[in-house]
Amino acid sequence: MQNFTKYLKTKANIAEPEFELLIKKVELRNVEKGEVLLRPGEVCRHSFFVENGLLRSYTVDDAGKEHIIQFGSENWIVSDRSSAFFNEPSDLFIDAVEDTNVVLISSDFINEASEISSSFRNYNQIALQNHIRHQQKRINLLLSASAELRYMNFIKLYPDLTLRVPQWMIASYLGITPESLSRVRKELAHKNFKAN
């Protein structure tokens, strides 16, 4: 759990004594590519810290089309926060795009870490606000931005994913067709091409 340890000690400023208490309360799990961690109708009991690999959260509409909400690569946390917090059935799928190692973080862990460490409590609050900020920006982009701007924002947010996920998944995340994504990529390549 090297990345998770670094996350707790460096980003959340957990001191060694608290770290030793808290690390016993999480579990590392190996998830195979395609394995589903959460299905609609289930209550989300954990947040999934990606130690290595890649997760995604998504919904499926009545026509069977997938709509990807989030990708989570190394050091990202993927969860259905509303299901976990309100103890309600989820609307989401969460599955592994690659073979992935995840750290299972329960609500009890979050509560206990917040009680014993003011640094963690403050960091967790900032992380939650940052999540809300990203979701609001994403909604605004989906409602009003061009496909090109959405793609540029995707590259900025997920710089390593264009070579790790199939084009149809990127298109699903952007809310466009794979054909539209191909056009956007060709136009961007043409704009950025400079003859010697």
Side-chain angles (χ1 to χ4, degrees), residues 65-135:
K65 183 178 178 184
E66 292 181 9
H67 303 275
I68 296 176
I69 294 167
Q70 179 189 5
F71 290 102
S73 56
E74 290 76 13
N75 299 307
W76 282 67
I77 296 174
V78 179
S79 184
D80 182 340
R81 292 178 185 271
S82 59
S83 174
F85 187 82
F86 294 105
N87 202 37
E88 295 176 349
S90 178
D91 295 324
L92 303 178
F93 286 93
I94 297 175
D95 70 10
V97 179
E98 302 170 350
D99 289 343
T100 303
N101 292 318
V102 297
V103 178
L104 304 179
I105 306 170
S106 67
S107 297
D108 289 342
F109 173 88
I110 300 292
N111 293 336
E112 187 162 339
S114 296
E115 282 178 24
I116 67 174
S117 171
S118 60
S119 293
F120 180 86
R121 185 169 55 250
N122 292 337
Y123 179 76
N124 190 51
Q125 182 66 23
I126 291 167
L128 287 170
Q129 295 302 327
N130 199 37
H131 176 74
I132 292 166
R133 181 179 68 164
H134 280 294
Q135 290 298 321

Side-chain angles (χ1 to χ4, degrees), residues 7-71:
Y7 168 81
L8 286 181
K9 289 185 173 181
T10 306
K11 291 198 171 185
N13 290 317
I14 299 285
E16 192 63 34
E18 287 89 356
F19 173 79
E20 294 301 330
L21 286 171
L22 291 171
I23 201 67
K24 296 172 185 171
K25 299 184 179 298
V26 296
E27 175 189 344
L28 183 65
R29 179 171 162 195
N30 299 322
V31 184
E32 293 183 6
K33 180 179 178 178
E35 186 176 338
V36 178
L37 294 166
L38 180 70
R39 287 181 171 80
E42 298 175 349
V43 174
C44 187
R45 301 289 180 200
H46 295 94
S47 294
F48 306 101
F49 178 91
V50 180
E51 184 69 21
N52 55 63
L54 182 61
L55 300 179
R56 66 178 175 145
S57 65
Y58 61 99
T59 60
V60 178
D61 65 23
D62 291 340
K65 183 178 178 184
E66 292 181 9
H67 303 275
I68 296 176
I69 294 167
Q70 179 189 5
F71 290 102

